[in-house]
Amino acid sequence: MAEETENENSLLPANDRIVKINIEDQMKSAYIDYSMSVIVSRALPDARDGLKPVHRRVLFGMEELGVTSGKPYKKSARIVGDVLGKYHPHGDSSVYDTMVRMAQEWSLRYPLVDGQGNYGSLDGDPPAAMRYTEARLRKIAEEMLSDIKKDTVDFQLNFDDSMEEPTVLPTRIPNLLVNGASGIAVGMATNMAPHNLTEVIDGTVAYIDNRDIEVSELMQFVKGPDFPTGGIIYGHNGVREAFETGRGRVVMRAKAEIEATKSGREIIVVTEIPYLVNKADMIKRTVDLINEKKIEGISEIRDESARDIRIVYEVKRDANANVVLNNLYKYTSLQSSFSVNNIALVKGRPMLMNLKDMIHEFVEHRHEVVIRRTKYELAEAEKRAHILEGYLIALDHLDEVIKLIRNSDTPEDARVGLMERFGLSDLQARAILDMTLRRLTGLERDKIKEEYAELMKTIEYLKLVLSDESLRMQIIKEELIEVKEKYGDERRSLIVHSAEDMTMEDFIDDEEIVITISHNSYVKRTPLSEYRRQGRGGKGAIGTNTRDEDFTEHIITATAHNYMLLFTEAGRCFWLRAFEIPEGSRTSRGRALQNIINIPKDDKIKAYILVKNLKDQEYLENNFIIMCTKQGTIKKTSLEAYSRPRANGINAININEGDQLLEACLTSGKSEIVMALRSGRAIRFNESTVRPMGRTATGVRGVTLAGPEDEVVGMISVDSSEISVLVVSEKGYGKRTDIDDYRITNRGGKGVKTINVTEKTGNLVAIKGVTDQDDLMIINKSGIVIRIGVDSLRVMGRATQGVRLITLKEHDEIASITKVVREEDENLDEENVEGQQTDNTDLTDDVNTEEQ
C-alpha cells in the first residue's frame, strides 16, 4: 500500500506542468495572430512595390533562377518548384496561379511575366498545366528588380532560415497604382484599380516638384483608372471620390458601336468589355435574359472574337438599336462597376490611401532606394579606389616591389614585406600579389591611372548625391521619365464625363412640354408644339376630352427634365420629374395623379413650382417659396427645406380649419408680392416684410378680405418693372395694367381696385404677371382652349372693366389661365376652330376712372 501511494505522489509534478487558461482568451489570441498573418503576409499589397508576398517571391525566384527577358523560356513547373522550395512553402497551385495572372494581358495592365503556351482566356478557360507552359520575366519586371543586389532593400530569412528573400522590391515602377491589386483579408479587403503608366509617372513627377499639390491637381495628370481590357469609364464622380478618399465606385461600360449591314439591318458590335467580366458567361446570361423576355429587340448573338474581341448583337427590324443597347447596359455585364478600396500596408500596417498618399509612399520608397544604392556604390567605388591606389604605388616602385617579392620565401612573407615597406593595407598588398604580368605594361599602367581618375570623379559625385536631397529627387525624376519613355503607352479606357448611373433622362429629350392637371386630378404631358396660337377673341381649339363635370385646372409649361414641386390644398408638398408624367395627346384625358405620386384621395394639387435641380446648395439657400391661402395668409420658406424628395411628400405649410392653400411661387428674396381678391381688389407689398419661417409654420396675414364671400384668387411675385399685371374675370374679360399703377402698401391691408367687377365681367378668377413676349393659354370649364399673344392686349387703367379675351358659350366660365413663353419661329394663326376670323370691332373698353 505504501508503495502504491508513493507511485501516485510521483505523478503530481507532471500535473503541475499543465497550465490552465481561459479558452476565450486563447481563441482571441490565436485568431488575432492568424488575422495579422493573413493581413501582413498574404492578402494585402505593400504600398511601396504594390506586391503581395507571393508575387514578390515569384519575381525574385525567377530573377535568381536567371529566367530574365533576354534568356530562353523555362518550364513553369521548374520555376514553381524553385519558388516553392526556397521561398513560398504553400500549395503549388497558389504559386502557379499567381504567375499565370502576372502573364495574362487582360488581368494586369502591364504584365510582369512573359508566358509561352496556353495561359487561359477571357472566357474563363483555365491555363494548361505547369508542365506544359513556359515563362520568363518581362523587361518591365526587371525594372522592379533593378539594383536589388546593391543593398537597396532589407532581406529576411526564408521559412527554414536557409536563405534570404527581399521584404520589398526596389521597384522603379509605381506598381501599386499601375497594376492595382485585390485581396480579402480578415476584417478588411482591398480592391485597387490599374492606371496608365504614363499618367501615373507624370503625376509622380508633378508631386516631386510640388509636395503640397492637391488631389484635384494630381487628377489633371492621372485622369482615372485605365483597365487592360479598355472599355469606357462612365461618369467621373466615382473616379474623383476614389482619388480623394480612397473609396469610390467606378462604372465601366463596354465599347459598342451601332453599325448597319448591307441588308440594312442594324447590329451592335462590342469590341471591348469591362474589366474582370467573363465574356462567355456574359453572353450566356444575355441569351437567358432574351429568352425570359427581359431584353427585347435582339434576334441573334454571335461571338466573332479571335485575337481581338468582337461580339455581334443583331437587332430586329422593328427595334431601336439605341434602346436595345441601353437595355444591354442596364441588364447585362456590358455595364458593371469596380468598387475601389485602396487599402495597402504602410510600414506593416493596413491604411486606406488616396491618390496622393499612394504616390507619396512610392516616392519615399524610391528615395530610400536611391540613398541606399548610392551608399553601396560609394563603398564599392572607395574600395576599388583603395586597390587602385595600391597598384599605383606598386607601379611607381616597380623594380623594388619585384625584388621584394622575388626575395620572399612565401606569399605571406611577400604580403607582410609589401605592407611594411610601402605602408599598404592588407587588401592592397593582396591585390598587388594577385596582379598579372600584363598589368605591368605601359598601356595597362595608363589604363589604371585613367580608371583611378574616373573613380575619383564618381566618388565626388556620389558624395554630392548623399548630401543633396534635391539632386536625389532629380535622379528619381530622370529614372521615372526613362521608364515612361520605355514602357509608357496610350490610355485604353475612355472616360465619358456624364451621369454615373443609367437614368430615364438618357432616354428622354429635354423638350418643352405642356403639363395639364384636371379638376379631378388627371395629369398628362404634351409637346408644346401641339398647341397653336390664335387671335384675341377666338373660339379656341379643343384641348381636352373631359369626363362629365371634370375640367382642366392647371396648364404648366416646363421641360422634360425639370423637377416639379406640387403643393396640395391641404398644404403638403410632393416631388415629380416632368418626364415621369405619362405622355398623352392634346385631347386625351391623362392619368390619375394618385397613380403617379402618393397623394391622398381627398387632397388636390393647387400650386406648382418648377426647379431646374435640387443639388445646387447656393441656389437652394438663396431662393424662397412663398405660399398664400384663400383666406389671405402668406408664408415664406427657404427652398432648401424642400430639397430632399420623399415618396410620401412633406408638410409645406400648416393650414387653418376652413382654409386651403391657393398658390406657391419661387422668389429670390427681393421680389414684390401682388395678391388679388375675388372681389376685384389687389394688394402690393415687399417680400422682405415676410420673414422666412420653417416648413410647419402657418404664416402671417397677407391681405384683408372684403367680406365672408371674398377670397384670394391668385398671387404673383414681381421682380422687374417690365412686368405688367394681367387679371381675368370669370365671364372672359381681362386686361393688362402697369405694375406701377399698384402702389406699395403695408402687408395685411385691404388693397386697391384692380378691375371694375360688374355683372357683365363676373368676379375675378385669375391674376398673372406677363410681358409682351408671353402667350396666354386660357381654358374654360367645357374644355375649350385658346392661345393668344399678350402683345395683342393693350395696357390700360387699373379700374377699367377690360376687354373680352374669349367668346364664351352660355353658362360657360373660364376655369384656368396660364402664360407660356412664345417660340421665336411661331406664326400667328388667326383662324379659330370654326374657321371664322377674329372680330375685334365689338370689343368694348368700358372705362371707370373711379379709384379706391
Side-chain angles (χ1 to χ4, degrees):
M1 282 291 290
E3 284 180 12
E4 283 179 20
T5 306
E6 193 175 319
N7 287 339
E8 284 176 12
N9 291 336
S10 66
L11 295 175
L12 287 174
N15 292 336
D16 286 346
R17 288 197 296 270
I18 295 174
V19 180
K20 291 184 178 181
I21 59 170
N22 188 317
I23 190 167
E24 187 180 337
D25 295 339
Q26 176 61 25
M27 289 295 288
K28 275 184 187 174
S29 170
Y31 194 71
I32 286 170
D33 291 345
Y34 164 72
S35 302
M36 289 307 299
S37 172
V38 171
I39 289 167
V40 176
S41 305
R42 187 191 305 177
L44 300 184
D46 192 295
R48 297 169 291 177
D49 63 2
L51 297 174
K52 300 178 190 177
V54 65
H55 297 97
R56 196 175 298 119
R57 287 165 177 168
V58 169
L59 294 176
F60 181 67
M62 291 176 79
E63 164 85 1
E64 290 293 286
L65 201 57
V67 197
T68 52
S69 60
K71 303 281 180 67
Y73 294 93
K74 268 195 169 63
K75 279 286 184 192
S76 299
R78 168 87 185 274
I79 297 166
V80 170
D82 212 56
V83 172
L84 206 63
K86 291 179 178 177
Y87 311 113
H88 198 71
H90 301 282
D92 57 359
S93 62
S94 67
V95 177
Y96 185 51
D97 289 349
T98 298
M99 194 183 80
V100 163
R101 187 175 177 276
M102 288 197 291
Q104 292 174 336
E105 293 192 346
W106 60 90
S107 292
L108 261 63
R109 180 62 179 84
Y110 298 90
L112 303 174
V113 173
D114 182 6
Q116 184 167 264
N118 174 12
Y119 273 77
S121 76
L122 260 173
D123 289 332
D125 300 318
M130 68 179 88
R131 59 182 179 274
Y132 299 118
T133 61
E134 297 178 332
R136 64 183 178 190
L137 286 174
R138 286 185 185 253
K139 274 190 177 298
I140 195 168
E142 290 171 14
E143 299 287 353
M144 296 191 69
L145 293 150
S146 168
D147 301 325
I148 197 165
K149 298 286 193 339
K150 294 185 178 179
D151 190 35
T152 49
V153 293
D154 291 334
F155 278 71
Q156 64 187 16
L157 290 169
N158 70 341
F159 62 91
D160 63 357
D161 295 351
S162 61
M163 55 204 328
E164 289 189 323
E165 60 173 325
T167 56
V168 67
L169 297 187
T171 175
R172 291 186 180 194
I173 313 287
N175 186 61
L176 186 70
L177 270 164
V178 160
N179 274 327
S182 66
I184 299 172
V186 177
M188 64 185 70
T190 185
N191 204 32
M192 310 178 87
H195 295 80
N196 183 273
L197 180 64
T198 305
E199 292 181 1
V200 170
I201 288 177
D202 287 343
T204 307
V205 169
Y207 169 78
I208 292 170
D209 289 338
N210 175 19
R211 294 301 184 92
D212 296 324
I213 194 168
E214 296 292 330
V215 173
S216 57
E217 295 172 281
L218 282 172
M219 286 173 64
Q220 294 173 12
F221 302 97
V222 188
K223 310 290 186 192
D226 189 23
F227 298 108
T229 53
I232 294 167
I233 294 170
Y234 187 66
H236 205 257
N237 290 343
V239 174
R240 184 169 58 251
E241 199 177 333
F243 279 161
E244 288 177 348
T245 67
R247 285 205 172 107
R249 180 172 166 270
V250 178
V251 178
M252 305 175 293
R253 277 185 163 189
K255 185 180 178 184
E257 299 284 341
I258 297 171
E259 299 176 5
T261 62
K262 290 178 182 177
S263 63
R265 293 280 289 273
E266 284 186 314
I267 57 171
I268 297 168
V269 180
V270 172
T271 51
E272 294 173 5
I273 62 173
Y275 185 46
L276 301 178
V277 167
N278 184 310
K279 177 161 63 72
D281 287 352
M282 181 186 76
I283 293 170
K284 182 178 180 298
R285 175 65 182 145
T286 306
V287 171
D288 291 342
L289 288 169
I290 292 167
N291 292 335
E292 293 166 12
K293 305 289 186 190
K294 285 189 178 174
I295 296 179
E296 295 182 344
I298 298 174
S299 58
E300 186 183 357
I301 304 177
R302 294 191 304 276
D303 186 359
E304 298 177 358
S305 307
R307 282 190 176 276
D308 297 321
I309 292 173
R310 183 179 166 87
I311 308 166
V312 178
Y313 299 82
E314 279 202 8
V315 180
K316 291 178 180 176
R317 288 192 186 278
D318 58 345
N320 184 321
N322 277 308
V323 173
V324 171
L325 180 57
N326 280 333
N327 281 323
L328 286 170
Y329 283 142
K330 186 174 182 180
Y331 293 110
T332 75
S333 299
L334 280 190
Q335 175 174 309
S336 60
S337 63
F338 186 94
S339 295
V340 175
N341 190 20
N342 294 333
I343 291 180
L345 296 173
V346 178
K347 296 181 175 61
R349 299 184 67 171
M351 270 186 64
L352 179 68
M353 297 191 292
N354 64 19
L355 176 63
K356 185 177 175 180
D357 295 334
M358 290 189 280
I359 291 175
H360 168 77
E361 290 302 326
F362 172 73
V363 170
E364 290 300 304
H365 176 53
R366 279 305 296 165
H367 188 214
E368 187 183 348
V369 166
V370 168
I371 291 171
R372 291 180 65 159
R373 181 183 68 192
T374 307
K375 283 180 178 175
Y376 176 85
E377 288 175 348
L378 178 62
E380 290 295 305
E382 287 176 337
K383 184 178 172 185
R384 178 66 180 162
H386 184 64
I387 291 169
L388 290 177
E389 284 168 357
Y391 283 164
L392 290 171
I393 291 169
L395 292 171
D396 288 343
H397 305 85
L398 189 58
D399 292 338
E400 196 177 342
V401 168
I402 292 171
K403 185 178 177 183
L404 192 151
I405 294 171
R406 284 179 66 185
N407 292 336
S408 299
D409 293 331
T410 64
E412 187 62 24
D413 292 341
R415 182 179 66 79
V416 173
L418 286 171
M419 289 169 67
E420 290 173 353
R421 173 69 186 81
F422 299 106
L424 300 174
S425 69
D426 179 64
L427 197 65
Q428 288 172 322
R430 289 179 188 277
I432 290 167
L433 289 171
D434 290 339
M435 277 177 77
T436 55
L437 289 173
R438 67 182 174 81
R439 301 299 298 270
L440 304 179
T441 61
L443 191 64
E444 286 293 318
R445 290 172 70 181
D446 290 342
K447 280 187 178 176
I448 289 170
K449 287 178 180 175
E450 283 175 19
E451 186 186 348
Y452 183 72
E454 283 297 316
L455 213 49
M456 294 315 290
K457 286 182 186 175
T458 302
I459 288 168
E460 188 180 349
Y461 171 71
L462 292 172
K463 284 180 176 176
L464 182 63
V465 169
L466 286 174
S467 65
D468 187 353
E469 185 177 338
S470 63
L471 182 55
R472 295 196 293 273
M473 287 299 162
Q474 188 60 35
I475 291 168
I476 294 170
K477 276 167 61 176
E478 286 169 2
E479 289 179 352
L480 281 170
I481 291 165
E482 185 186 333
V483 164
K484 182 177 85 168
E485 287 168 356
K486 275 189 191 175
Y487 309 105
D489 56 3
E490 292 295 315
R491 162 174 280 282
R492 292 184 192 173
S493 296
L494 177 70
I495 299 176
V496 178
H497 293 266
S498 60
E500 285 191 313
D501 300 313
M502 282 294 290
T503 64
M504 284 299 292
E505 292 173 44
D506 298 322
F507 301 91
I508 293 168
D509 185 27
D510 196 18
E511 64 176 348
E512 287 196 311
I513 57 173
V514 174
I515 299 168
T516 55
I517 304 175
S518 78
H519 180 72
N520 288 343
S521 295
Y522 281 84
V523 65
K524 67 178 179 187
R525 64 181 164 93
T526 312
L528 183 63
S529 55
E530 280 205 25
Y531 291 88
R532 59 196 175 96
R533 194 151 56 93
Q534 291 185 288
R536 177 169 63 84
K539 300 283 185 175
I542 295 294
T544 311
N545 285 339
T546 54
R547 304 175 96 188
D548 293 341
E549 297 179 358
D550 194 11
F551 55 88
T552 301
E553 276 196 352
H554 299 284
I555 305 173
I556 306 161
T557 56
T559 63
H561 291 182
N562 283 169
Y563 274 94
M564 285 182 62
L565 270 61
L566 303 172
F567 294 87
T568 72
E569 61 182 26
R572 289 189 68 77
C573 174
F574 294 86
W575 292 263
L576 191 59
R577 297 300 291 273
F579 60 73
E580 293 173 342
I581 297 168
E583 189 168 358
S585 69
R586 197 178 63 193
T587 55
S588 66
R589 189 177 80 228
R591 187 174 170 196
L593 198 55
Q594 281 86 351
N595 294 338
I596 304 171
I597 58 173
N598 296 333
I599 179 172
K601 288 185 178 180
D602 56 350
D603 209 353
K604 283 175 62 180
I605 298 295
K606 294 297 287 186
Y608 66 89
I609 285 176
L610 290 176
V611 180
K612 290 288 182 187
N613 68 66
L614 294 173
K615 293 180 182 174
D616 185 343
Q617 194 61 30
E618 187 179 348
Y619 173 76
L620 293 173
E621 289 173 1
N622 292 317
N623 283 274
F624 300 89
I625 292 176
I626 289 193
M627 290 164 275
C628 78
T629 71
K630 280 193 173 182
Q631 297 297 314
T633 299
I634 190 165
K635 178 187 166 187
K636 176 178 172 183
T637 307
S638 170
L639 178 59
E640 201 274 335
Y642 304 95
S643 62
R644 289 168 288 277
R646 295 184 196 165
N648 294 321
I650 58 171
N651 286 326
I653 181 173
N654 181 44
I655 300 289
N656 291 327
E657 191 175 345
D659 198 0
Q660 58 181 237
L661 182 71
L662 178 71
E663 192 70 76
C665 59
L666 191 64
T667 72
S668 62
K670 300 172 184 174
S671 304
E672 290 173 354
I673 303 299
V674 181
M675 297 173 71
L677 297 173
R678 189 165 183 264
S679 58
R681 301 180 70 83
I683 187 170
R684 177 187 176 194
F685 55 87
N686 286 320
E687 177 189 340
S688 57
T689 62
V690 185
R691 63 179 178 82
M693 304 178 184
R695 277 197 296 108
T696 54
T698 304
V700 294
R701 168 66 55 196
V703 64
T704 300
L705 305 183
E709 298 297 318
D710 202 8
E711 63 183 30
V712 178
V713 294
M715 173 187 73
I716 61 171
S717 68
V718 181
D719 50 17
S720 168
S721 60
E722 294 177 9
I723 291 176
S724 54
V725 178
L726 174 84
V727 288
V728 182
S729 69
E730 60 191 355
K731 297 280 183 74
Y733 283 79
K735 66 164 187 177
R736 287 173 71 190
T737 309
D738 274 333
I739 181 66
D740 292 334
D741 275 12
Y742 295 86
R743 68 178 186 271
I744 297 177
T745 63
N746 291 327
R747 171 181 61 77
K750 292 183 178 181
V752 296
K753 184 180 284 189
T754 184
I755 191 171
N756 194 33
V757 172
T758 65
E759 195 174 327
K760 184 177 179 181
T761 61
N763 289 318
L764 203 61
V765 292
I767 179 170
K768 299 289 174 189
V770 295
T771 67
D772 282 348
Q773 284 69 47
D774 292 329
D775 283 355
L776 271 189
M777 291 180 72
I778 305 172
I779 190 161
N780 59 28
K781 293 184 179 180
S782 59
I784 300 292
V785 176
I786 185 172
R787 181 172 177 177
I788 64 172
V790 169
D791 54 5
S792 68
L793 296 169
R794 70 178 177 84
V795 178
M796 57 185 72
R798 180 162 55 76
T800 60
Q801 179 178 278
V803 297
R804 188 183 295 121
L805 301 181
I806 184 169
T807 304
L808 296 173
K809 293 179 181 177
E810 196 175 353
H811 305 304
D812 203 359
E813 290 181 349
I814 288 180
S816 172
I817 71 163
T818 191
K819 64 177 182 179
V820 296
V821 179
R822 184 179 309 161
E823 306 233 358
E824 289 180 10
D825 59 349
E826 222 169 7
N827 294 316
L828 187 66
D829 181 356
E830 292 289 348
E831 285 191 351
N832 59 30
V833 288
E834 296 182 10
Q836 298 171 340
Q837 290 295 320
T838 304
D839 182 6
N840 293 337
T841 57
D842 64 346
L843 292 170
T844 57
D845 293 349
D846 295 332
V847 180
N848 183 345
T849 57
E850 182 189 350
E851 248 184 55
Q852 293 182 16

